[in-house]
Amino acid sequence: MTIPHPAGYRPAPDGNHPPLLSEGYRSTVLRAPSEAPVVLRHRLTEVTGPLLTGDIGPNDHDLTAQHDGEPIGQRIVVFGRVLDSDGRAVPNTLVEVWQANAAGRYAHARDNWPAPLDPNFTGGGRVVTDAQGNYSFTTIKPGAYPWGNHHNAWRPAHIHLSLFGRSFTQRLVTQMYFPDDPLFAQDPIFNSVPDPTARQRLVSTFDLEATRPEWALAYRFDVVLRGREQTPFEEPHE
Amino acid sequence: MSELLTPSQTVGPFLSLGLTWLEGHLVVPPGSPGAIRISGVLTDGAGEPVGDGLVETWQADAEGRFDHPDDPRGATGSGFRGFGRCATDPGGRFEILTIKPGPLGDGQAPHIDVTVLARGLLDRVVTRIYFPDEATANAADPLLASLPQERAATLVAQETGPSELRFDIRLQGDGETVFLAV
Ligand SMILES: [Fe+2]
């Protein structure tokens, strides 16, 4: 039986994703491959991918409810839709998040800058999008934190997100930022995205409509994954 | 068509808070028939271990099928997860327990797709694991055949014992692994 070549996924436009070597971010210097990547035509392994929906715990969507007490900080709802670049919803897809606490410290053994840990905050969560691609989780607004990249370097407040989509090619790990952060201008990770309009797509929007009165502020963050080619690529017979 | 994609950003050093699963590296349960252990070390351009990375794998089942609706032969319904995930330890080591995927029937040799994420990687890098006992299929594989021999060799795991394979990933420099634009 011959397998038809599946339709692949369209590449990201130039400037949409950061170059792997981005000198302002020092850790890229020894980790970015020197050789140009070899283009791999999408075949079955690339157009399929893990469809992970299991093992979501009852408080995985609410990072403020994972301990006996409530964490310190501004309670927020982060929500949005996962779409492909044709505007189609990506339903039933796993979204994993992790973040620092309100003081900007991660509950991680290797984060030891002198900001307080919060015994009521671990900072990891996961949700699965609904049939329309919507996701939502409740957390506290993370603090900014210093890092050793350059003199007086501070990361703007951010939440890390990991998404699978429905194919290996759609896999995306990104960071969500908050509007009008004064730390953007000095952050080489945020600014590693060459296209300034693409960079703005990393910034969530404050959404007054979605706030929960007398409970939580709300930020909207839509995530757009790659869309699919319309027709399969025809390969000449060898 | 406008491509307003969300840009990639690094996982940073604390990815284990969000991405570690206790059994992530078990694509199949221990003791499964045909189980193989694939282990390796992730290193940087200075040859130093990358102790804060994450290696993820995606593959077909033993019959070369996917439990996924976009497999044109239809989802198998087998529940085979096909996905493995292992954070690297301070020595850069990772391992997954899986089974060897079958051939897809499209001229490619059996393979596993791999994503590597780490602090200092602003986007994931992608590579593939091929199998050392598939010399004939590997020689005919379109990707392997397109590469100079010493580069292709970086994609073929080495047998280190019964049901034990080694696949090191070198991000940069001498013996740099072939990475793929997907
Ligand atoms: Fe971070």
Side-chain angles (χ1 to χ4, degrees), chain B residues 59-127:
Chain B
Q59 65 170 92
D61 66 18
E63 278 74 51
R65 298 274 300 265
F66 296 91
D67 190 9
H68 191 288
D70 292 348
D71 185 330
R73 300 160 296 183
T76 59
S78 67
F80 179 65
R81 189 175 82 186
F83 174 72
R85 162 186 273 185
C86 187
T88 58
D89 73 8
R93 288 178 291 263
F94 61 90
E95 66 169 69
I96 62 160
L97 189 76
T98 189
I99 50 161
K100 186 178 163 186
L104 305 185
D106 61 356
Q108 298 187 90
H111 60 269
I112 297 176
D113 276 10
V114 178
T115 289
V116 181
L117 298 158
R119 172 178 66 85
L121 288 179
L122 285 161
D123 198 351
R124 67 168 174 169
V125 292
V126 167
T127 186

Side-chain angles (χ1 to χ4, degrees), chain A residues 10 17 25 27 29-32 34-35 38 45-46 85-86 96 166 168 171 174-175 177 201 224, chain B residues 1 3 5-10 45 52 56 68 70 85 111 113 119-120 124 128 171-172 176 179 181:
Chain A
R10 299 192 299 275
H17 292 307
Y25 176 20
S27 301
V29 173
L30 279 174
R31 293 189 171 186
S34 325
E35 301 279 344
V38 175
T45 316
E46 291 72 45
S85 55
D86 295 312
E96 296 166 298
R166 59 183 284 118
F168 181 79
R171 181 93 177 89
T174 189
Q175 298 180 26
Y177 299 88
R201 293 197 290 273
V224 182
Chain B
M1 205 150 342
E3 303 281 358
L5 306 181
T6 304
S8 170
Q9 294 273 270
T10 179
D52 50 10
E56 292 181 344
H68 191 288
D70 292 348
R85 162 186 273 185
H111 60 269
D113 276 10
R119 172 178 66 85
R124 67 168 174 169
R128 264 189 177 184
L171 288 174
Q172 187 192 90
E176 183 174 308
F179 295 103

Side-chain angles (χ1 to χ4, degrees), chain A residues 87-156:
Chain A
R88 278 189 289 258
V90 183
N92 305 316
T93 194
L94 179 65
V95 181
E96 296 166 298
V97 299
W98 67 105
Q99 64 169 85
N101 70 21
R105 177 129 176 223
Y106 285 91
H108 189 286
R110 286 204 291 267
D111 187 7
N112 48 22
W113 80 284
L117 284 167
D118 184 335
N120 291 314
F121 194 73
T122 305
R126 45 187 172 161
V127 292
V128 171
T129 60
D130 69 12
Q132 285 75 45
N134 294 296
Y135 75 92
S136 172
F137 58 94
T138 302
T139 184
I140 48 94
K141 190 171 178 188
Y145 57 85
W147 61 311
N149 188 72
H150 56 273
H151 174 68
N152 198 23
W154 292 80
R155 292 300 329 282

Side-chain angles (χ1 to χ4, degrees), chain A residues 53-75:
Chain A
T53 56
D55 286 346
I56 303 291
N59 290 325
D60 282 358
H61 70 289
D62 187 348
L63 286 69
T64 71
Q66 296 174 348
H67 296 272
D68 289 340
E70 278 207 277
I72 298 290
Q74 177 82 65
R75 202 183 289 117

